[in-house]
Amino acid sequence: MSVAYVTGASSGIGRGAAVRLAEDGYRVVLLGRSQERLADAAAECGPDAYYAAFDATSAEAVDRELPSLLEQYGAPDVVVHAAGQTVVGALDQLTPQQWHQQMDVNLTSIYLLNRHLWPAQVAAGGGSVVLIASTASFAAFPQDAAYVASKGAVLALTKAMALDGAPAGIRVNAVCPGFILTPNLQGYFDAQDDPAAASGGAAAAAPLGRMGTPADVAGAIAFLASPASSFVTGTSLLVDGGLMARVPG
């Protein structure tokens, strides 16, 4: 049975990806911070799923947990880096702690986990890696400087990893969601002066006339994980309901 490791799998896009990959026949290893929420998500993924709760921004925790997971469940055929967070604020308003928190969750966690997962994929002959970038990788939002910076970096990192992975048979791509109704996005709305207006504006922004769901993004992840995308690497796939196609009016 093929194996998929999914970070940020306790909720939102990560959970949606884990469920979809399980439906597609993968044995899913769900990674995240909340043991209770991971257990609930793993139950939705079926009896072959496994979960491990630890802080993916901690080098000590990652170095402690990943070797035993790889020994027990094997090298990943697919890795989905879906751990993410939004820290709201203009650059001058952010504390150093907030800045580093944003970068640690959205970017450094990829590096720390990759130190273990990547060599395992190389030794196994290749696989697929999917990073979760954003429409914010291409265009900025006000009061969202650290998030925008982190997601721009994720898109650049996708290209660098794709070049490094190609000789080893590892394909690396990014999915770039628009407004996807997740707890993370809801937190962003709640931080605005008028949360209801922010939510309504997001729903109306896409030409398709709604916000997306984790299942919408999971479909794109499943494609990039599958042999159907065997000649696709180093690129990004927008899942935004047409948001980036429209000139603001």
Side-chain angles (χ1 to χ4, degrees), residues 166-238:
I170 300 176
R171 298 183 299 105
V172 185
N173 294 287
V175 171
C176 301
F179 291 113
I180 308 298
L181 194 53
T182 64
N184 189 43
L185 182 61
Q186 188 60 53
Y188 173 78
F189 292 150
D190 291 343
Q192 305 307 306
D193 293 336
D194 188 339
S199 177
L208 289 183
R210 65 174 177 88
M211 282 188 277
T213 68
D216 291 322
V217 184
I221 292 170
F223 165 69
L224 292 173
S226 76
S229 61
S230 62
F231 200 56
V232 179
T233 195
T235 193
S236 57
L237 176 56
L238 282 163

Side-chain angles (χ1 to χ4, degrees), residues 57-130:
T57 70
S58 165
E60 181 181 0
V62 172
D63 291 347
R64 181 183 66 244
E65 298 289 341
L66 260 293
S68 60
L69 288 172
L70 287 166
E71 182 177 356
Q72 186 170 1
Y73 297 101
D77 298 278
V78 173
V79 176
V80 180
H81 289 284
Q85 186 180 45
T86 300
V87 175
V88 178
L91 191 61
D92 63 295
Q93 299 169 346
L94 299 172
T95 66
Q97 181 182 6
Q98 288 174 314
W99 172 265
H100 288 296
Q101 178 186 4
Q102 182 72 98
M103 294 301 166
D104 285 348
V105 174
N106 288 7
L107 192 61
T108 304
S109 65
I110 299 172
Y111 157 71
L112 293 175
L113 291 159
N114 192 66
R115 291 176 62 245
H116 296 275
L117 296 173
W118 187 273
Q121 279 191 304
V122 171
S128 175
V129 178
V130 182

Side-chain angles (χ1 to χ4, degrees), residues 140-168:
F141 299 99
Q143 298 291 312
D144 212 16
Y147 179 82
V148 170
S150 71
K151 290 302 185 179
V154 168
L155 193 59
L157 182 60
T158 298
K159 298 174 184 179
M161 291 175 65
L163 296 180
D164 293 336

